[in-house]
Amino acid sequence: MSSKLYFRTIADLAAALDAKQLSSVELTQAVIARTHAVEPCIHAFNSFDEADALAQAAASDARRAAGQSCGPLDGIPIGLKDVIAVTGQPLTASSKMLKDFVSPYDATVTTKLKKAGAVLWGRLNCDEFAMGSSTENSAFGPTGNPWDPTRVPGGSSGGSSAALAAGEAIATLGSDTGGSIRQPAALCGVVGLKPTYGLVSRFGLIAFASSLDQIGPFTRTVEDAAIVLGAIAGHDERDSTSFQAEIPDYRAALTSQRGPWKLGIPKEYFATGLDPEIAASVEKAIAFYQSQGCEIREVSLPHTQYCLDTYYVIATAEASSNLGRYDGIRYGHRSTAAKDAVDIYAHSRAEGFGPEVKRRIILGTYVLSSGYYDAYYLRAQKVRTLIRQDFLHAFRDVDALLTPTSPMPAFKIGEKADPLALYLCDIYTIGVNLAGLPAISVPCGFTKSGLPIGAQLIGQPWKESNLLAIAHAYERAHDWSAQFPIF
Amino acid sequence: MSSAPALDIDHIAKLARLALTAEEKARFAQQLGDVLHHIEQLAKVDVTGVEPTAHASPIFNVWQADVAQPGLTVADALRNAPAQRDNMILVPKVVE
């Protein structure tokens, strides 16, 4: 455990708050001070509101003093990716298009966190409209990786992973469409969980690719992930893909669900292109589970090579449709160069969107356009069925799959200029979104140059309890989460 | 889908309502040509008799009771409008 408040876990801080050894105002002040100290170097936040956070903290302290604590998140500062709506606060998606937008309502996850007593702390940088794998696509500038600020924190939820790793929040939320929680978690040495599609409401999340998007937590430990997931999961009638599943006690499941488990190792995830140091660290994690009596089986996901292409057809098609709403009429940037009403659309969009967003809108419009729909979009949806069947077939024999999260550690800001090279960052995470599965990235070591490495565990649909317990068993026997960046 | 088709960037930009510069058009056409070339390998997959998956959630239709719920106030709904007057959003004249 760190002696520094801002590096401690939710579980540990909740105990200290309950024991009156600490107040939420003190904790929030420590996080605010830390944020001021490191932001010039990290730039994880697009905006924050200190007075608002301290007022929430004071209200939390009053609840605890009156014996009315809402639970372990009461008084804990949690940062939100700047694609999740909080009433009265800016919501930009890191885009010039929404530079001045203020949320008129709360996302469902925001409502749930407020109900749990969390101190909502700031809006975190990301790739514009969550499109990217490095947070370099933000209209407000890149975020630095706390382990080496000249490197990227991953993306698209790079502000969420960097803020947590740097001690600027105790937990954060991100969104994951193709790996946007797990990959930045791996690159910043924290835990990142992408829940089963439909477990967490998307109401109030700025839509990128609606059939793939899912909100999830970044935390220091698997136990903290279980705590946050328990607070944000659950059916919501305002999201028609939200599932009526019973929400178990994820935290209790960490110890009640015991192995040994059967773990599958998909051979396609250890092929060429994987950094040898990452391969070695993940092999050690496999050896750990084996030493605990788990059965390790090689499995095959034969359509893995088609995941990236399937994803870029489906995600861009959905994005081109979702982003049609940014037309400069009702909200968002409106061009003053336009001559007539129709001209407003094209110029507002040209001025408001950055290059990666434009590229994806163009690609998505193309694959949906007359004459190409069957060849691209419909075909990709069929291949998606095969990709999902691969996973479900593998799960007949194993409880979870163990893979690397990212083929490479954090790379230098500006290093990957070619869009296609950047798209390859997501090769191990994309299949999970296409199949709608839950997956978690947990820290599993460091490269020789001191950069964090993450291992990904992929679970069966709706079996987050099992997935978290498997991850917890590994984490408990290792001390990766007790290491912090020094800067 | 036997070979990468040419992407008519002017046509697609018009459909997408994006006023691209000449430089953007040239750059995107080249970059997206590379991406499309990559995507061509989807043509190799045998999808005979395979049903498409729209999303992975086991939900296919959702009905809700038609009951009025509290919504945004006019002020909240107009808060982010680029131009407004008399509780309405202002736009340039559409018809002469």
mmCIF file of all heavy atoms in Angstrom, chain A residues 102 211 237 242 305 309 329-331 334 344 346 349-350 358-359 366 375-376 379 381 384-385, chain B residues 1 5 16-17 19 24 31 38 40-42 45 51 53-54 59 62 64 80-82 90 92:
data_model
loop_
_atom_site.group_PDB
_atom_site.id
_atom_site.type_symbol
_atom_site.label_atom_id
_atom_site.label_comp_id
_atom_site.label_asym_id
_atom_site.label_seq_id
_atom_site.Cartn_x
_atom_site.Cartn_y
_atom_site.Cartn_z
ATOM 1 N N VAL A 102 -22.306 21.861 -23.077
ATOM 2 C CA VAL A 102 -22.530 21.596 -21.644
ATOM 3 C C VAL A 102 -23.657 20.563 -21.544
ATOM 4 O O VAL A 102 -24.709 20.734 -22.154
ATOM 5 C CB VAL A 102 -22.913 22.891 -20.898
ATOM 6 C CG1 VAL A 102 -23.259 22.588 -19.438
ATOM 7 C CG2 VAL A 102 -21.765 23.900 -20.969
ATOM 8 N N SER A 211 -23.100 -0.844 -31.482
ATOM 9 C CA SER A 211 -23.186 -2.287 -31.229
ATOM 10 C C SER A 211 -21.924 -2.814 -30.556
ATOM 11 O O SER A 211 -21.854 -3.989 -30.213
ATOM 12 C CB SER A 211 -23.451 -3.057 -32.521
ATOM 13 O OG SER A 211 -22.269 -3.222 -33.271
ATOM 14 N N GLU A 237 -33.969 1.132 -18.821
ATOM 15 C CA GLU A 237 -34.928 1.136 -19.931
ATOM 16 C C GLU A 237 -34.608 2.206 -20.981
ATOM 17 O O GLU A 237 -35.164 2.186 -22.079
ATOM 18 C CB GLU A 237 -36.360 1.294 -19.413
ATOM 19 C CG GLU A 237 -36.642 2.603 -18.732
ATOM 20 C CD GLU A 237 -38.113 2.737 -18.337
ATOM 21 O OE1 GLU A 237 -38.793 1.702 -18.192
ATOM 22 O OE2 GLU A 237 -38.554 3.894 -18.180
ATOM 23 N N SER A 242 -29.761 -2.738 -23.208
ATOM 24 C CA SER A 242 -29.431 -3.053 -21.814
ATOM 25 C C SER A 242 -30.177 -4.315 -21.404
ATOM 26 O O SER A 242 -31.362 -4.472 -21.666
ATOM 27 C CB SER A 242 -29.833 -1.857 -20.954
ATOM 28 O OG SER A 242 -29.975 -2.220 -19.621
ATOM 29 N N GLN A 305 -7.907 -13.648 -37.805
ATOM 30 C CA GLN A 305 -7.253 -12.794 -38.817
ATOM 31 C C GLN A 305 -8.244 -11.835 -39.491
ATOM 32 O O GLN A 305 -7.825 -10.884 -40.137
ATOM 33 C CB GLN A 305 -6.563 -13.660 -39.860
ATOM 34 C CG GLN A 305 -7.516 -14.603 -40.576
ATOM 35 C CD GLN A 305 -6.856 -15.303 -41.753
ATOM 36 O OE1 GLN A 305 -6.234 -14.671 -42.602
ATOM 37 N NE2 GLN A 305 -6.986 -16.623 -41.787
ATOM 38 N N ASP A 309 -10.499 -6.301 -39.902
ATOM 39 C CA ASP A 309 -11.255 -5.827 -41.069
ATOM 40 C C ASP A 309 -12.751 -5.748 -40.759
ATOM 41 O O ASP A 309 -13.426 -4.792 -41.133
ATOM 42 C CB ASP A 309 -11.023 -6.747 -42.260
ATOM 43 C CG ASP A 309 -9.567 -6.726 -42.685
ATOM 44 O OD1 ASP A 309 -8.995 -5.627 -42.718
ATOM 45 O OD2 ASP A 309 -9.005 -7.791 -42.967
ATOM 46 N N ILE A 329 -26.584 22.451 -36.438
ATOM 47 C CA ILE A 329 -27.902 23.082 -36.344
ATOM 48 C C ILE A 329 -28.356 23.239 -34.889
ATOM 49 O O ILE A 329 -28.548 24.352 -34.407
ATOM 50 C CB ILE A 329 -28.962 22.263 -37.128
ATOM 51 C CG1 ILE A 329 -28.564 22.170 -38.600
ATOM 52 C CG2 ILE A 329 -30.352 22.893 -36.977
ATOM 53 C CD1 ILE A 329 -28.517 23.481 -39.356
ATOM 54 N N ARG A 330 -28.491 22.119 -34.191
ATOM 55 C CA ARG A 330 -29.094 22.175 -32.843
ATOM 56 C C ARG A 330 -28.079 22.399 -31.733
ATOM 57 O O ARG A 330 -28.372 22.969 -30.706
ATOM 58 C CB ARG A 330 -29.870 20.878 -32.582
ATOM 59 C CG ARG A 330 -31.083 20.735 -33.467
ATOM 60 C CD ARG A 330 -31.376 19.293 -33.736
ATOM 61 N NE ARG A 330 -30.267 18.654 -34.429
ATOM 62 C CZ ARG A 330 -30.044 17.365 -34.445
ATOM 63 N NH1 ARG A 330 -30.816 16.545 -33.791
ATOM 64 N NH2 ARG A 330 -29.018 16.870 -35.117
ATOM 65 N N TYR A 331 -26.873 21.874 -31.925
ATOM 66 C CA TYR A 331 -25.800 22.061 -30.941
ATOM 67 C C TYR A 331 -24.483 21.788 -31.639
ATOM 68 O O TYR A 331 -24.450 21.315 -32.769
ATOM 69 C CB TYR A 331 -25.986 21.138 -29.726
ATOM 70 C CG TYR A 331 -26.226 19.682 -30.065
ATOM 71 C CD1 TYR A 331 -25.162 18.848 -30.391
ATOM 72 C CD2 TYR A 331 -27.510 19.153 -30.082
ATOM 73 C CE1 TYR A 331 -25.373 17.521 -30.713
ATOM 74 C CE2 TYR A 331 -27.729 17.823 -30.407
ATOM 75 C CZ TYR A 331 -26.653 17.011 -30.723
ATOM 76 O OH TYR A 331 -26.868 15.701 -31.044
ATOM 77 N N ARG A 334 -20.953 25.516 -35.287
ATOM 78 C CA ARG A 334 -21.615 25.944 -36.511
ATOM 79 C C ARG A 334 -20.676 26.869 -37.287
ATOM 80 O O ARG A 334 -20.192 27.865 -36.760
ATOM 81 C CB ARG A 334 -22.928 26.675 -36.223
ATOM 82 C CG ARG A 334 -23.636 27.113 -37.502
ATOM 83 C CD ARG A 334 -24.881 27.942 -37.241
ATOM 84 N NE ARG A 334 -25.993 27.129 -36.764
ATOM 85 C CZ ARG A 334 -27.231 27.622 -36.598
ATOM 86 N NH1 ARG A 334 -27.485 28.894 -36.881
ATOM 87 N NH2 ARG A 334 -28.196 26.848 -36.150
ATOM 88 N N ILE A 344 -24.182 24.641 -44.273
ATOM 89 C CA ILE A 344 -23.839 24.638 -42.845
ATOM 90 C C ILE A 344 -23.372 23.239 -42.432
ATOM 91 O O ILE A 344 -22.387 23.086 -41.722
ATOM 92 C CB ILE A 344 -25.054 25.054 -41.972
ATOM 93 C CG1 ILE A 344 -25.232 26.560 -42.001
ATOM 94 C CG2 ILE A 344 -24.861 24.607 -40.517
ATOM 95 C CD1 ILE A 344 -26.311 27.044 -41.052
ATOM 96 N N ALA A 346 -21.981 20.736 -44.201
ATOM 97 C CA ALA A 346 -20.678 20.314 -44.726
ATOM 98 C C ALA A 346 -19.526 21.125 -44.134
ATOM 99 O O ALA A 346 -18.456 20.585 -43.847
ATOM 100 C CB ALA A 346 -20.678 20.402 -46.251
ATOM 101 N N ARG A 349 -19.126 20.472 -40.180
ATOM 102 C CA ARG A 349 -18.500 19.173 -39.971
ATOM 103 C C ARG A 349 -17.025 19.203 -40.382
ATOM 104 O O ARG A 349 -16.167 18.639 -39.693
ATOM 105 C CB ARG A 349 -19.266 18.095 -40.743
ATOM 106 C CG ARG A 349 -20.647 17.841 -40.147
ATOM 107 C CD ARG A 349 -21.600 17.135 -41.098
ATOM 108 N NE ARG A 349 -21.206 15.779 -41.444
ATOM 109 C CZ ARG A 349 -21.362 14.723 -40.647
ATOM 110 N NH1 ARG A 349 -21.888 14.877 -39.448
ATOM 111 N NH2 ARG A 349 -21.002 13.528 -41.039
ATOM 112 N N ALA A 350 -16.728 19.894 -41.474
ATOM 113 C CA ALA A 350 -15.340 19.985 -41.939
ATOM 114 C C ALA A 350 -14.478 20.738 -40.922
ATOM 115 O O ALA A 350 -13.328 20.384 -40.678
ATOM 116 C CB ALA A 350 -15.280 20.684 -43.294
ATOM 117 N N LYS A 358 -12.826 12.269 -39.618
ATOM 118 C CA LYS A 358 -13.225 12.425 -41.027
ATOM 119 C C LYS A 358 -12.930 11.146 -41.814
ATOM 120 O O LYS A 358 -13.757 10.693 -42.600
ATOM 121 C CB LYS A 358 -12.486 13.598 -41.667
ATOM 122 C CG LYS A 358 -12.965 14.959 -41.189
ATOM 123 C CD LYS A 358 -12.169 16.063 -41.864
ATOM 124 C CE LYS A 358 -12.513 17.414 -41.285
ATOM 125 N NZ LYS A 358 -11.613 18.474 -41.757
ATOM 126 N N ARG A 359 -11.733 10.591 -41.599
ATOM 127 C CA ARG A 359 -11.366 9.353 -42.296
ATOM 128 C C ARG A 359 -12.400 8.268 -42.024
ATOM 129 O O ARG A 359 -12.843 7.572 -42.920
ATOM 130 C CB ARG A 359 -9.999 8.857 -41.807
ATOM 131 C CG ARG A 359 -8.850 9.128 -42.761
ATOM 132 C CD ARG A 359 -7.621 8.334 -42.390
ATOM 133 N NE ARG A 359 -7.100 8.641 -41.069
ATOM 134 C CZ ARG A 359 -6.263 9.643 -40.815
ATOM 135 N NH1 ARG A 359 -5.830 10.423 -41.769
ATOM 136 N NH2 ARG A 359 -5.847 9.871 -39.583
ATOM 137 N N TYR A 366 -18.789 5.075 -47.122
ATOM 138 C CA TYR A 366 -18.505 4.275 -48.315
ATOM 139 C C TYR A 366 -19.054 2.851 -48.179
ATOM 140 O O TYR A 366 -19.744 2.360 -49.078
ATOM 141 C CB TYR A 366 -16.998 4.248 -48.549
ATOM 142 C CG TYR A 366 -16.578 3.362 -49.698
ATOM 143 C CD1 TYR A 366 -16.857 3.718 -51.012
ATOM 144 C CD2 TYR A 366 -15.905 2.168 -49.456
ATOM 145 C CE1 TYR A 366 -16.487 2.901 -52.062
ATOM 146 C CE2 TYR A 366 -15.529 1.343 -50.504
ATOM 147 C CZ TYR A 366 -15.821 1.715 -51.807
ATOM 148 O OH TYR A 366 -15.447 0.906 -52.840
ATOM 149 N N ALA A 375 -21.461 -6.086 -50.014
ATOM 150 C CA ALA A 375 -20.082 -6.551 -50.116
ATOM 151 C C ALA A 375 -19.290 -6.255 -48.844
ATOM 152 O O ALA A 375 -18.393 -7.020 -48.483
ATOM 153 C CB ALA A 375 -19.403 -5.909 -51.317
ATOM 154 N N TYR A 376 -19.595 -5.156 -48.191
ATOM 155 C CA TYR A 376 -18.820 -4.787 -47.015
ATOM 156 C C TYR A 376 -19.611 -4.962 -45.715
ATOM 157 O O TYR A 376 -19.279 -5.794 -44.880
ATOM 158 C CB TYR A 376 -18.341 -3.327 -47.112
ATOM 159 C CG TYR A 376 -17.283 -3.126 -48.143
ATOM 160 C CD1 TYR A 376 -17.545 -2.397 -49.302
ATOM 161 C CD2 TYR A 376 -16.008 -3.663 -47.979
ATOM 162 C CE1 TYR A 376 -16.554 -2.208 -50.257
ATOM 163 C CE2 TYR A 376 -15.019 -3.488 -48.922
ATOM 164 C CZ TYR A 376 -15.295 -2.752 -50.062
ATOM 165 O OH TYR A 376 -14.323 -2.576 -51.000
ATOM 166 N N ARG A 379 -21.558 -8.393 -45.242
ATOM 167 C CA ARG A 379 -20.561 -9.461 -45.150
ATOM 168 C C ARG A 379 -19.828 -9.394 -43.810
ATOM 169 O O ARG A 379 -19.615 -10.419 -43.151
ATOM 170 C CB ARG A 379 -19.573 -9.347 -46.315
ATOM 171 C CG ARG A 379 -18.418 -10.333 -46.267
ATOM 172 C CD ARG A 379 -17.677 -10.378 -47.592
ATOM 173 N NE ARG A 379 -18.336 -11.240 -48.549
ATOM 174 C CZ ARG A 379 -18.072 -12.546 -48.685
ATOM 175 N NH1 ARG A 379 -17.161 -13.114 -47.943
ATOM 176 N NH2 ARG A 379 -18.702 -13.278 -49.559
ATOM 177 N N GLN A 381 -20.953 -8.260 -41.026
ATOM 178 C CA GLN A 381 -21.853 -8.723 -39.968
ATOM 179 C C GLN A 381 -21.944 -10.251 -39.926
ATOM 180 O O GLN A 381 -22.134 -10.840 -38.870
ATOM 181 C CB GLN A 381 -23.248 -8.128 -40.170
ATOM 182 C CG GLN A 381 -23.335 -6.664 -39.757
ATOM 183 C CD GLN A 381 -24.768 -6.221 -39.571
ATOM 184 O OE1 GLN A 381 -25.621 -6.554 -40.378
ATOM 185 N NE2 GLN A 381 -25.041 -5.496 -38.513
ATOM 186 N N ARG A 384 -18.772 -11.468 -38.441
ATOM 187 C CA ARG A 384 -18.892 -11.229 -37.009
ATOM 188 C C ARG A 384 -19.557 -12.425 -36.315
ATOM 189 O O ARG A 384 -19.154 -12.819 -35.222
ATOM 190 C CB ARG A 384 -19.731 -9.961 -36.791
ATOM 191 C CG ARG A 384 -19.933 -9.618 -35.352
ATOM 192 C CD ARG A 384 -20.770 -8.361 -35.228
ATOM 193 N NE ARG A 384 -20.763 -7.935 -33.847
ATOM 194 C CZ ARG A 384 -21.284 -6.803 -33.405
ATOM 195 N NH1 ARG A 384 -21.854 -5.974 -34.244
ATOM 196 N NH2 ARG A 384 -21.231 -6.483 -32.145
ATOM 197 N N THR A 385 -20.562 -12.995 -36.946
ATOM 198 C CA THR A 385 -21.216 -14.184 -36.397
ATOM 199 C C THR A 385 -20.196 -15.314 -36.237
ATOM 200 O O THR A 385 -20.168 -15.992 -35.208
ATOM 201 C CB THR A 385 -22.347 -14.642 -37.344
ATOM 202 O OG1 THR A 385 -23.257 -13.554 -37.507
ATOM 203 C CG2 THR A 385 -23.089 -15.853 -36.795
ATOM 204 N N MET B 1 -15.848 -7.641 -55.235
ATOM 205 C CA MET B 1 -14.779 -7.423 -54.264
ATOM 206 C C MET B 1 -13.503 -8.149 -54.650
ATOM 207 O O MET B 1 -12.681 -8.468 -53.812
ATOM 208 C CB MET B 1 -15.219 -7.902 -52.879
ATOM 209 C CG MET B 1 -15.878 -6.803 -52.084
ATOM 210 S SD MET B 1 -16.414 -7.320 -50.470
ATOM 211 C CE MET B 1 -14.856 -7.424 -49.587
ATOM 212 N N PRO B 5 -11.797 -1.606 -55.092
ATOM 213 C CA PRO B 5 -12.430 -0.641 -55.985
ATOM 214 C C PRO B 5 -11.935 0.768 -55.679
ATOM 215 O O PRO B 5 -11.502 1.048 -54.569
ATOM 216 C CB PRO B 5 -13.912 -0.785 -55.649
ATOM 217 C CG PRO B 5 -13.952 -1.312 -54.259
ATOM 218 C CD PRO B 5 -12.672 -2.039 -54.013
ATOM 219 N N ALA B 16 -21.479 12.216 -47.127
ATOM 220 C CA ALA B 16 -21.169 12.371 -45.699
ATOM 221 C C ALA B 16 -21.308 13.817 -45.241
ATOM 222 O O ALA B 16 -21.112 14.105 -44.067
ATOM 223 C CB ALA B 16 -19.758 11.863 -45.416
ATOM 224 N N ARG B 17 -21.640 14.727 -46.169
ATOM 225 C CA ARG B 17 -21.739 16.147 -45.842
ATOM 226 C C ARG B 17 -20.461 16.656 -45.166
ATOM 227 O O ARG B 17 -20.480 17.215 -44.090
ATOM 228 C CB ARG B 17 -22.931 16.407 -44.922
ATOM 229 C CG ARG B 17 -24.281 16.112 -45.557
ATOM 230 C CD ARG B 17 -24.743 17.248 -46.445
ATOM 231 N NE ARG B 17 -26.121 17.096 -46.903
ATOM 232 C CZ ARG B 17 -26.482 16.480 -48.028
ATOM 233 N NH1 ARG B 17 -25.559 15.949 -48.821
ATOM 234 N NH2 ARG B 17 -27.740 16.392 -48.365
ATOM 235 N N ALA B 19 -17.159 18.977 -46.162
ATOM 236 C CA ALA B 19 -16.485 19.848 -47.135
ATOM 237 C C ALA B 19 -14.976 19.650 -46.989
ATOM 238 O O ALA B 19 -14.328 20.322 -46.197
ATOM 239 C CB ALA B 19 -16.870 21.312 -46.887
ATOM 240 N N GLU B 24 -6.963 17.234 -48.320
ATOM 241 C CA GLU B 24 -7.584 16.151 -47.540
ATOM 242 C C GLU B 24 -8.088 15.041 -48.465
ATOM 243 O O GLU B 24 -7.924 13.858 -48.172
ATOM 244 C CB GLU B 24 -8.756 16.688 -46.716
ATOM 245 C CG GLU B 24 -8.355 17.402 -45.437
ATOM 246 C CD GLU B 24 -9.558 18.002 -44.705
ATOM 247 O OE1 GLU B 24 -10.485 18.515 -45.375
ATOM 248 O OE2 GLU B 24 -9.580 17.951 -43.474
ATOM 249 N N GLN B 31 -4.928 6.968 -48.172
ATOM 250 C CA GLN B 31 -4.939 6.204 -46.919
ATOM 251 C C GLN B 31 -6.083 5.187 -46.894
ATOM 252 O O GLN B 31 -5.898 4.042 -46.480
ATOM 253 C CB GLN B 31 -5.074 7.152 -45.715
ATOM 254 C CG GLN B 31 -3.807 7.955 -45.450
ATOM 255 C CD GLN B 31 -4.043 9.067 -44.448
ATOM 256 O OE1 GLN B 31 -5.153 9.574 -44.318
ATOM 257 N NE2 GLN B 31 -2.996 9.458 -43.736
ATOM 258 N N HIS B 38 -6.793 -3.778 -47.440
ATOM 259 C CA HIS B 38 -6.715 -4.684 -46.296
ATOM 260 C C HIS B 38 -8.061 -5.377 -46.080
ATOM 261 O O HIS B 38 -8.130 -6.592 -45.881
ATOM 262 C CB HIS B 38 -6.321 -3.855 -45.068
ATOM 263 C CG HIS B 38 -5.658 -4.652 -43.988
ATOM 264 N ND1 HIS B 38 -6.384 -5.276 -42.998
ATOM 265 C CD2 HIS B 38 -4.357 -4.924 -43.746
ATOM 266 C CE1 HIS B 38 -5.530 -5.903 -42.191
ATOM 267 N NE2 HIS B 38 -4.306 -5.710 -42.612
ATOM 268 N N GLU B 40 -10.271 -6.066 -48.111
ATOM 269 C CA GLU B 40 -10.616 -6.993 -49.187
ATOM 270 C C GLU B 40 -10.544 -8.446 -48.758
ATOM 271 O O GLU B 40 -11.201 -9.310 -49.324
ATOM 272 C CB GLU B 40 -9.679 -6.788 -50.390
ATOM 273 C CG GLU B 40 -10.001 -5.577 -51.225
ATOM 274 C CD GLU B 40 -11.445 -5.548 -51.674
ATOM 275 O OE1 GLU B 40 -11.867 -6.519 -52.310
ATOM 276 O OE2 GLU B 40 -12.139 -4.571 -51.367
ATOM 277 N N GLN B 41 -9.726 -8.752 -47.735
ATOM 278 C CA GLN B 41 -9.578 -10.160 -47.374
ATOM 279 C C GLN B 41 -10.860 -10.755 -46.772
ATOM 280 O O GLN B 41 -11.008 -11.966 -46.685
ATOM 281 C CB GLN B 41 -8.368 -10.387 -46.472
ATOM 282 C CG GLN B 41 -8.454 -9.808 -45.100
ATOM 283 C CD GLN B 41 -7.499 -10.549 -44.142
ATOM 284 O OE1 GLN B 41 -7.126 -11.685 -44.373
ATOM 285 N NE2 GLN B 41 -7.116 -9.888 -43.055
ATOM 286 N N LEU B 42 -11.828 -9.898 -46.412
ATOM 287 C CA LEU B 42 -13.121 -10.417 -45.944
ATOM 288 C C LEU B 42 -13.809 -11.242 -47.038
ATOM 289 O O LEU B 42 -14.620 -12.118 -46.746
ATOM 290 C CB LEU B 42 -14.038 -9.277 -45.516
ATOM 291 C CG LEU B 42 -13.760 -8.588 -44.175
ATOM 292 C CD1 LEU B 42 -14.782 -7.498 -43.915
ATOM 293 C CD2 LEU B 42 -13.744 -9.596 -43.036
ATOM 294 N N VAL B 45 -13.673 -15.123 -46.843
ATOM 295 C CA VAL B 45 -14.400 -15.921 -45.852
ATOM 296 C C VAL B 45 -15.665 -16.515 -46.481
ATOM 297 O O VAL B 45 -16.410 -15.818 -47.161
ATOM 298 C CB VAL B 45 -14.797 -15.051 -44.644
ATOM 299 C CG1 VAL B 45 -15.376 -15.920 -43.522
ATOM 300 C CG2 VAL B 45 -13.617 -14.247 -44.137
ATOM 301 N N GLU B 51 -25.920 -16.262 -40.671
ATOM 302 C CA GLU B 51 -26.791 -15.119 -40.347
ATOM 303 C C GLU B 51 -25.924 -13.939 -39.900
ATOM 304 O O GLU B 51 -24.949 -14.126 -39.182
ATOM 305 C CB GLU B 51 -27.727 -15.494 -39.197
ATOM 306 C CG GLU B 51 -28.835 -16.463 -39.570
ATOM 307 C CD GLU B 51 -29.861 -15.822 -40.490
ATOM 308 O OE1 GLU B 51 -30.234 -14.662 -40.242
ATOM 309 O OE2 GLU B 51 -30.273 -16.477 -41.468
ATOM 310 N N THR B 53 -24.812 -10.744 -37.590
ATOM 311 C CA THR B 53 -24.981 -10.341 -36.191
ATOM 312 C C THR B 53 -24.975 -8.820 -36.135
ATOM 313 O O THR B 53 -23.979 -8.186 -36.479
ATOM 314 C CB THR B 53 -23.827 -10.888 -35.317
ATOM 315 O OG1 THR B 53 -23.882 -12.311 -35.329
ATOM 316 C CG2 THR B 53 -23.941 -10.403 -33.873
ATOM 317 N N ALA B 54 -26.092 -8.228 -35.692
ATOM 318 C CA ALA B 54 -26.153 -6.764 -35.580
ATOM 319 C C ALA B 54 -25.511 -6.313 -34.280
ATOM 320 O O ALA B 54 -24.789 -5.326 -34.219
ATOM 321 C CB ALA B 54 -27.598 -6.282 -35.652
ATOM 322 N N ILE B 59 -31.120 -9.493 -27.247
ATOM 323 C CA ILE B 59 -32.337 -8.686 -27.175
ATOM 324 C C ILE B 59 -32.701 -8.301 -28.603
ATOM 325 O O ILE B 59 -31.847 -7.835 -29.348
ATOM 326 C CB ILE B 59 -32.090 -7.392 -26.361
ATOM 327 C CG1 ILE B 59 -31.755 -7.734 -24.910
ATOM 328 C CG2 ILE B 59 -33.298 -6.470 -26.415
ATOM 329 C CD1 ILE B 59 -31.283 -6.532 -24.115
ATOM 330 N N VAL B 62 -37.768 -4.259 -27.957
ATOM 331 C CA VAL B 62 -38.059 -3.787 -26.608
ATOM 332 C C VAL B 62 -39.299 -2.914 -26.669
ATOM 333 O O VAL B 62 -39.346 -1.961 -27.442
ATOM 334 C CB VAL B 62 -36.877 -2.957 -26.040
ATOM 335 C CG1 VAL B 62 -37.204 -2.456 -24.647
ATOM 336 C CG2 VAL B 62 -35.603 -3.791 -26.019
ATOM 337 N N GLN B 64 -42.053 -0.492 -24.566
ATOM 338 C CA GLN B 64 -42.210 0.278 -23.341
ATOM 339 C C GLN B 64 -43.603 0.854 -23.303
ATOM 340 O O GLN B 64 -44.169 1.186 -24.351
ATOM 341 C CB GLN B 64 -41.198 1.430 -23.317
ATOM 342 C CG GLN B 64 -39.892 1.065 -22.658
ATOM 343 C CD GLN B 64 -38.971 2.247 -22.538
ATOM 344 O OE1 GLN B 64 -39.422 3.336 -22.189
ATOM 345 N NE2 GLN B 64 -37.709 2.073 -22.846
ATOM 346 N N ASN B 80 -27.404 24.583 -25.743
ATOM 347 C CA ASN B 80 -26.244 24.407 -26.624
ATOM 348 C C ASN B 80 -26.507 24.828 -28.072
ATOM 349 O O ASN B 80 -25.690 24.568 -28.952
ATOM 350 C CB ASN B 80 -25.787 22.950 -26.582
ATOM 351 C CG ASN B 80 -25.207 22.563 -25.234
ATOM 352 O OD1 ASN B 80 -24.127 23.023 -24.857
ATOM 353 N ND2 ASN B 80 -25.936 21.752 -24.469
ATOM 354 N N ALA B 81 -27.637 25.453 -28.316
ATOM 355 C CA ALA B 81 -27.952 25.857 -29.696
ATOM 356 C C ALA B 81 -26.993 26.959 -30.141
ATOM 357 O O ALA B 81 -26.737 27.905 -29.404
ATOM 358 C CB ALA B 81 -29.390 26.340 -29.780
ATOM 359 N N PRO B 82 -26.450 26.838 -31.365
ATOM 360 C CA PRO B 82 -25.513 27.855 -31.859
ATOM 361 C C PRO B 82 -26.174 29.231 -32.013
ATOM 362 O O PRO B 82 -25.515 30.255 -31.867
ATOM 363 C CB PRO B 82 -25.072 27.322 -33.219
ATOM 364 C CG PRO B 82 -25.465 25.891 -33.254
ATOM 365 C CD PRO B 82 -26.618 25.732 -32.324
ATOM 366 N N LEU B 90 -32.265 29.125 -34.485
ATOM 367 C CA LEU B 90 -32.177 29.917 -35.717
ATOM 368 C C LEU B 90 -31.302 29.218 -36.749
ATOM 369 O O LEU B 90 -30.207 28.753 -36.426
ATOM 370 C CB LEU B 90 -31.545 31.278 -35.417
ATOM 371 C CG LEU B 90 -32.409 32.375 -34.802
ATOM 372 C CD1 LEU B 90 -31.585 33.665 -34.724
ATOM 373 C CD2 LEU B 90 -33.662 32.612 -35.631
ATOM 374 N N PRO B 92 -30.245 29.587 -41.246
ATOM 375 C CA PRO B 92 -30.435 30.437 -42.420
ATOM 376 C C PRO B 92 -31.686 30.006 -43.194
ATOM 377 O O PRO B 92 -32.133 28.868 -43.087
ATOM 378 C CB PRO B 92 -29.188 30.183 -43.271
ATOM 379 C CG PRO B 92 -28.217 29.539 -42.367
ATOM 380 C CD PRO B 92 -29.000 28.831 -41.318
#
